[in-house]
């Protein structure tokens, strides 16, 4: 297969250069599209890092039943009942089961790539939040990049292969927690809105660094419509009818905030494409894909779009005695904050093959042979 990217002569010259230097890509990549996936993000993408890092001191509910019940039949550290968007994308490219970085111990564990995403992650680091009067020390994108650089060094020492040049980098979703933490602490909306340029700057700087390291293909998702999440609908309950979208029941102001972030991010990605025409950068419209569910839930069978399948205000999902629905595939939310596998599948399909990716569906960056 070949990659659909600008600058075909550039890539031919680069391949020849690597061959002459003895740094050619793995032989298997000649038979496939992307040889590996490297993923960054938060709880929407974490496949086990948080549970592995925190499990010994303070066991996480994400590592307890009924998490993972739909597909895996056991908890895996994913904050859902089953697979996430990254799982469906990896499966599409023949790279299923990309290993969480904290679960592997040697290069052989990461032959299909590595996932650096971790629950509760933010784009910005603790210093940024301290400057805003917020006392939080998150697993930031900086933390994930430290893990990534160490991983690249280990791979280079053990393989001598350029693994980034034909890999797909999935950068996010990340940034939503920068805002959600602030909203939850009661910071006024206009002050949180001022975070957006810094969040997008951090994402853009990370793309630039990864390009400098050799990455040539990216998927960068926008924020989800968190104004439709049961937790936030409850936490920011309002008596004002204008605060809600009459057609969906979602919080209008919250979703407009996400739309603003996504516009700023899209504009920045356009700039990066102009600066790096040899690099494929696909914007993944997770927001639009998920809104298609809330706008017509019956059409997709997700009839309980604004409800959580697992847990309630008294007992959270993953805690002893928590309630759980009979059929998660009919629910929009698994635990009040995170989507169900059924919703993640809709998002993944929209990004891979549908209209929820630009400038082209992600699968078309790698056509079938």
């Amino acid at each position: 297969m070949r990659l659909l990217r600008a600058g075909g002569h550039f890539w031919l010259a680069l391949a020849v250069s690597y061959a002459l230097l003895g740094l050619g890509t793995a032989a298997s990549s000649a038979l496939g599209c992307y040889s590996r996936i490297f993923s960054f993000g938060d709880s929407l993408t974490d496949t086990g890092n948080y549970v592995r890092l925190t499990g010994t001191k303070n066991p996480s509910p994400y590592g307890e039943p009924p998490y993972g019940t739909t597909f895996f039949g056991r908890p895996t550290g994913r904050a859902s009942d089953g697979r996430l968007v990254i799982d469906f994308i990896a499966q599409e490219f023949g790279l299923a089961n990309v290993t969480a970085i904290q679960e592997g111990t040697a290069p052989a564990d990461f032959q299909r790539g590595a996932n650096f995403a971790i629950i509760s992650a933010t784009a910005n680091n603790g210093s940024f939040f301290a400057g805003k009067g917020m006392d939080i020390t998150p697993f930031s994108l900086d933390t994930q990049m430290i893990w990534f650089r160490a991983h690249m060094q280990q791979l280079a020492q053990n393989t001598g292969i350029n693994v980034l040049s034909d890999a797909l980098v999935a950068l996010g979703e990340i940034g939503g927690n920068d805002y959600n933490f602030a909203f939850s602490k009661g910071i006024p909306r206009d002050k949180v809105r001022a975070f957006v340029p810094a969040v997008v700057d951090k994402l853009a700087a990370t793309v630039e660094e990864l390009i400098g390291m050799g990455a040539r293909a990216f998927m960068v998702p926008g924020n989800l419509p968190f104004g439709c999440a049961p937790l936030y609908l409850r936490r920011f309950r309002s008596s004002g009818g204008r605060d809600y979208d009459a057609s969906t029941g979602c919080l209008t102001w919250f979703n407009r905030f996400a739309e603003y972030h996504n516009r700023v991010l899209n504009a920045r990605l356009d700039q990066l494409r102009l600066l790096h025409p040899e690099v494929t950068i696909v914007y993944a419209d997770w927001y639009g894909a998920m809104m298609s569910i809330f706008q017509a839930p019956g059409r997709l069978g997700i009839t309980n779009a604004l409800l959580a399948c697992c847990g309630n205000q008294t007992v959270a999902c993953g805690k002893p005695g928590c309630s759980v629905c009979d059929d998660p595939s009919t629910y929009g939310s698994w635990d009040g904050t995170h989507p169900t596998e059924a919703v993640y599948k809709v998002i993944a399909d929209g990004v891979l093959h549908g209209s929820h990716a630009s400038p082209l569906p992600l699968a078309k960056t790698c056509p079938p042979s």
Side-chain angles (χ1 to χ4, degrees):
M1 300 180 189
R2 58 184 178 86
L3 301 185
L4 285 182
R5 299 176 186 165
H9 294 298
F10 171 89
W11 283 105
L12 177 60
L14 187 63
V16 171
S17 297
Y18 279 131
L20 292 173
L21 290 171
L23 296 174
T25 54
S28 61
S29 66
L31 302 175
C33 177
Y34 299 113
S35 63
R36 302 172 191 241
I37 293 177
F38 295 109
S39 178
F40 303 82
D42 55 24
S43 56
L44 302 178
T45 307
D46 185 357
T47 55
N49 287 319
Y50 184 85
V51 167
R52 178 57 63 94
L53 280 181
T54 64
T56 55
K57 294 182 179 179
N58 185 24
S60 167
Y62 302 115
E64 300 294 332
Y67 281 93
T69 187
T70 293
F71 181 77
F72 302 98
R74 59 180 176 81
T76 63
R78 290 165 174 80
S80 187
D81 60 307
R83 292 165 290 182
L84 313 179
V85 172
I86 192 63
D87 293 306
F88 290 112
I89 288 174
Q91 180 180 328
E92 177 76 16
F93 293 120
L95 298 168
N97 301 318
V98 174
T99 305
I101 192 63
Q102 299 300 328
E103 293 189 334
T105 59
D109 298 324
F110 300 101
Q111 295 184 20
R112 295 175 177 176
N115 187 359
F116 302 87
I118 186 164
I119 289 168
S120 81
T122 55
N124 287 294
N125 60 29
S127 297
F128 171 85
F129 295 107
K132 308 298 181 184
M134 298 170 61
D135 183 19
I136 62 172
T137 308
F139 290 106
S140 68
L141 190 51
D142 287 347
T143 304
Q144 295 177 44
M145 284 300 293
I146 290 171
W147 296 342
F148 177 75
R149 295 185 201 104
H151 182 60
M152 289 296 100
Q153 184 176 15
Q154 183 184 40
L155 289 181
Q157 291 172 348
N158 283 274
T159 67
I161 295 172
N162 182 311
V163 297
L164 269 178
S165 64
D166 56 1
L168 173 67
V169 175
L171 188 60
E173 186 275 334
I174 191 166
N177 284 333
D178 294 57
Y179 312 132
N180 295 341
F181 289 159
F183 285 134
S184 297
K185 288 182 177 292
I187 295 179
R189 297 174 197 173
D190 60 330
K191 292 187 180 298
V192 182
R193 185 181 176 93
F195 291 13
V196 173
V199 170
V200 173
D201 282 349
K202 176 63 73 172
L203 295 175
T206 303
V207 170
E208 291 272 21
E209 179 178 352
L210 291 166
I211 290 173
M213 296 174 72
R216 291 297 180 267
F218 294 83
M219 177 194 73
V220 185
N223 274 184
L224 288 178
F226 287 111
C228 303
L231 173 67
Y232 298 118
L233 283 167
R234 184 172 68 248
R235 180 174 293 170
F236 300 107
R237 183 182 292 115
S238 170
S239 59
R242 292 183 178 180
D243 287 336
Y244 296 92
D245 181 340
S247 65
T248 63
C250 302
L251 280 167
T252 302
W253 68 265
F254 215 148
N255 283 354
R256 284 179 178 170
F257 186 97
E259 291 170 1
Y260 170 62
H261 166 93
N262 293 344
R263 287 196 301 272
V264 175
L265 176 60
N266 251 312
R268 194 59 173 275
L269 295 181
D270 283 341
Q271 294 174 0
L272 289 170
R273 292 185 189 104
L274 290 174
L275 288 170
H276 304 283
E278 78 283 5
V279 176
T280 296
I281 302 175
V282 173
Y283 171 70
D285 182 17
W286 288 19
Y287 180 97
M290 197 165 178
M291 283 304 295
S292 71
I293 295 171
F294 299 117
Q295 290 162 351
R299 181 172 60 85
L300 297 169
I302 303 175
T303 51
N304 301 298
L306 298 181
L307 299 178
C309 171
C310 181
N312 53 43
Q313 297 182 56
T314 305
V315 182
C317 188
K319 295 290 187 179
C322 69
S323 61
V324 62
C325 69
D326 292 330
D327 186 0
S329 71
T330 65
Y331 282 74
S333 177
W334 166 244
D335 58 8
T337 306
H338 307 98
T340 57
E341 179 185 274
V343 172
Y344 281 129
K345 179 67 163 59
V346 171
I347 296 172
D349 286 346
V351 171
L352 283 163
H353 305 290
S355 60
H356 297 294
S358 63
L360 76 171
L362 186 61
K364 292 202 172 184
T365 63
C366 176
S369 56

Coordinates of all heavy atoms in Angstrom, one line a residue, residues 124 128-129 131-134 178-183 185-199 253 257 260:
N124 N -2.0 21.3 29.1 CA -1.0 22.1 29.8 C -0.6 21.5 31.2 O -1.3 20.6 31.7 CB -1.6 23.5 30.1 CG -1.7 24.3 28.8 OD1 -0.7 24.7 28.3 ND2 -2.9 24.6 28.4
F128 N 1.1 26.0 34.4 CA 0.0 26.8 33.8 C -1.2 27.0 34.7 O -1.7 28.1 34.9 CB -0.4 26.1 32.5 CG -1.6 26.7 31.8 CD1 -1.5 27.8 31.0 CD2 -2.9 26.2 32.1 CE1 -2.6 28.3 30.4 CE2 -4.0 26.8 31.5 CZ -3.9 27.8 30.6
F129 N -1.6 25.9 35.3 CA -2.8 26.0 36.2 C -2.5 26.8 37.5 O -3.4 27.5 38.0 CB -3.3 24.6 36.5 CG -3.8 23.9 35.3 CD1 -3.1 22.8 34.8 CD2 -5.0 24.2 34.7 CE1 -3.6 22.2 33.6 CE2 -5.5 23.6 33.6 CZ -4.8 22.6 33.0
G131 N -0.6 29.3 37.6 CA -0.7 30.7 37.2 C -2.2 31.2 37.1 O -2.4 32.4 37.1
K132 N -3.1 30.2 37.0 CA -4.5 30.6 37.0 C -5.2 30.4 38.3 O -6.4 30.5 38.4 CB -5.2 29.7 35.9 CG -4.6 29.7 34.6 CD -4.6 31.0 33.9 CE -3.9 31.0 32.5 NZ -3.8 32.3 31.9
G133 N -4.4 30.2 39.4 CA -5.0 30.0 40.7 C -5.6 28.6 41.0 O -6.4 28.5 41.9
M134 N -5.2 27.6 40.2 CA -5.7 26.3 40.3 C -4.6 25.3 40.8 O -3.5 25.2 40.3 CB -6.2 25.7 39.0 CG -7.4 26.6 38.4 SD -7.8 26.1 36.7 CE -8.2 24.4 36.9
D178 N -8.5 20.5 30.6 CA -8.0 21.8 30.9 C -9.2 22.7 31.2 O -9.1 23.6 32.1 CB -7.2 22.5 29.8 CG -5.9 21.7 29.5 OD1 -5.9 20.5 29.2 OD2 -4.8 22.4 29.5
Y179 N -10.2 22.6 30.5 CA -11.4 23.4 30.6 C -12.4 22.8 31.7 O -12.9 23.5 32.5 CB -12.2 23.5 29.3 CG -11.3 23.8 28.1 CD1 -11.4 23.1 26.9 CD2 -10.4 24.9 28.2 CE1 -10.7 23.4 25.8 CE2 -9.6 25.2 27.1 CZ -9.8 24.4 25.9 OH -9.0 24.7 24.8
N180 N -12.6 21.5 31.7 CA -13.5 20.8 32.6 C -13.1 21.0 34.0 O -13.9 21.2 34.9 CB -13.7 19.4 32.2 CG -14.3 19.1 30.9 OD1 -14.9 20.1 30.3 ND2 -14.1 18.0 30.3
F181 N -11.8 20.9 34.3 CA -11.3 21.1 35.7 C -11.6 22.5 36.1 O -12.0 22.7 37.3 CB -9.8 20.8 35.8 CG -9.4 19.3 35.6 CD1 -8.2 19.0 35.3 CD2 -10.3 18.3 35.9 CE1 -7.8 17.6 35.2 CE2 -10.0 17.0 35.8 CZ -8.7 16.7 35.4
A182 N -11.4 23.5 35.2 CA -11.6 24.9 35.6 C -13.1 25.2 35.8 O -13.5 25.8 36.8 CB -11.1 25.8 34.5
F183 N -13.9 24.6 34.9 CA -15.4 24.8 35.1 C -15.8 24.2 36.4 O -16.6 24.8 37.1 CB -16.2 24.2 33.9 CG -16.1 24.9 32.6 CD1 -15.8 24.3 31.5 CD2 -16.3 26.3 32.6 CE1 -15.8 24.9 30.2 CE2 -16.3 27.0 31.4 CZ -16.0 26.3 30.2
K185 N -14.2 23.9 39.1 CA -13.8 24.7 40.2 C -14.4 26.1 40.3 O -14.1 26.9 41.1 CB -12.2 24.9 40.1 CG -11.5 23.6 40.5 CD -10.0 23.8 40.4 CE -9.2 22.6 40.8 NZ -9.4 22.2 42.3
G186 N -15.4 26.3 39.4 CA -16.2 27.5 39.4 C -15.5 28.7 38.8 O -16.0 29.9 39.0
I187 N -14.5 28.5 38.0 CA -13.9 29.6 37.3 C -14.8 30.1 36.2 O -15.4 29.3 35.5 CB -12.5 29.2 36.7 CG1 -11.6 28.8 37.8 CG2 -11.9 30.3 35.8 CD1 -10.2 28.3 37.3
P188 N -15.0 31.4 36.1 CA -16.0 32.0 35.2 C -15.7 31.6 33.7 O -14.5 31.4 33.3 CB -15.8 33.5 35.3 CG -15.3 33.7 36.7 CD -14.4 32.5 37.0
R189 N -16.8 31.5 32.9 CA -16.6 31.0 31.6 C -15.7 31.8 30.7 O -14.9 31.3 29.9 CB -18.0 30.9 30.9 CG -19.0 30.0 31.6 CD -20.3 30.0 31.0 NE -21.4 29.5 31.8 CZ -22.7 29.5 31.6 NH1 -23.1 30.1 30.5 NH2 -23.5 28.9 32.4
D190 N -15.7 33.1 30.9 CA -14.9 34.0 30.1 C -13.4 33.8 30.4 O -12.6 33.9 29.5 CB -15.3 35.5 30.2 CG -15.1 36.0 31.6 OD1 -15.3 35.2 32.6 OD2 -14.9 37.2 31.8
K191 N -13.1 33.5 31.6 CA -11.7 33.2 32.0 C -11.3 31.9 31.5 O -10.1 31.7 31.1 CB -11.6 33.3 33.5 CG -11.7 34.7 34.1 CD -11.4 34.7 35.6 CE -11.6 36.1 36.2 NZ -10.7 37.1 35.5
V192 N -12.1 30.9 31.5 CA -11.8 29.6 30.9 C -11.6 29.7 29.4 O -10.7 29.1 28.8 CB -12.8 28.5 31.3 CG1 -12.4 27.2 30.8 CG2 -13.0 28.4 32.8
R193 N -12.4 30.5 28.8 CA -12.3 30.7 27.3 C -10.9 31.2 27.0 O -10.4 30.9 25.9 CB -13.4 31.7 26.9 CG -13.5 31.9 25.4 CD -14.5 32.9 25.0 NE -14.6 33.2 23.6 CZ -15.4 32.7 22.7 NH1 -16.2 31.7 23.1 NH2 -15.4 33.0 21.5
A194 N -10.3 32.0 27.9 CA -9.0 32.5 27.6 C -7.9 31.4 27.6 O -6.8 31.7 27.2 CB -8.7 33.6 28.6
F195 N -8.3 30.2 28.1 CA -7.3 29.1 28.1 C -7.1 28.5 26.7 O -6.1 27.9 26.4 CB -7.9 27.9 29.0 CG -7.9 28.1 30.5 CD1 -7.7 29.4 31.0 CD2 -8.1 27.0 31.3 CE1 -7.8 29.5 32.4 CE2 -8.1 27.2 32.7 CZ -8.0 28.5 33.2
V196 N -8.1 28.7 25.8 CA -8.1 28.0 24.5 C -6.8 28.3 23.7 O -6.2 27.3 23.2 CB -9.4 28.4 23.7 CG1 -9.3 27.8 22.3 CG2 -10.6 27.9 24.5
P197 N -6.4 29.5 23.6 CA -5.1 29.7 22.8 C -3.9 28.9 23.3 O -3.2 28.3 22.6 CB -4.9 31.2 22.8 CG -6.3 31.8 23.0 CD -7.0 30.8 23.9
A198 N -3.8 28.9 24.7 CA -2.7 28.1 25.3 C -2.8 26.6 25.0 O -1.8 26.0 24.8 CB -2.7 28.4 26.8
V199 N -4.0 26.1 25.1 CA -4.2 24.7 24.8 C -3.9 24.4 23.4 O -3.1 23.4 23.1 CB -5.7 24.3 25.1 CG1 -6.0 22.8 24.6 CG2 -6.0 24.3 26.6
W253 N -24.3 26.4 26.2 CA -23.1 27.1 26.4 C -21.9 26.2 26.5 O -20.8 26.6 26.0 CB -23.2 27.9 27.7 CG -23.2 27.2 29.0 CD1 -24.3 26.7 29.7 CD2 -22.1 26.7 29.7 NE1 -24.0 26.0 30.8 CE2 -22.6 26.0 30.9 CE3 -20.7 26.8 29.6 CZ2 -21.8 25.4 31.8 CZ3 -19.9 26.2 30.5 CH2 -20.4 25.5 31.6
F257 N -18.8 26.3 23.7 CA -17.4 26.4 24.2 C -16.5 25.4 23.4 O -15.4 25.7 22.9 CB -17.2 26.1 25.7 CG -15.9 26.4 26.2 CD1 -15.5 27.6 26.8 CD2 -14.8 25.4 26.1 CE1 -14.3 27.9 27.2 CE2 -13.6 25.7 26.5 CZ -13.3 26.9 27.1
Y260 N -16.0 26.5 19.9 CA -14.9 27.5 19.8 C -13.5 26.9 19.8 O -12.7 27.2 19.0 CB -15.1 28.5 21.0 CG -14.0 29.5 21.1 CD1 -13.7 30.4 20.1 CD2 -13.2 29.5 22.3 CE1 -12.6 31.3 20.2 CE2 -12.1 30.4 22.4 CZ -11.9 31.3 21.4 OH -10.8 32.2 21.5

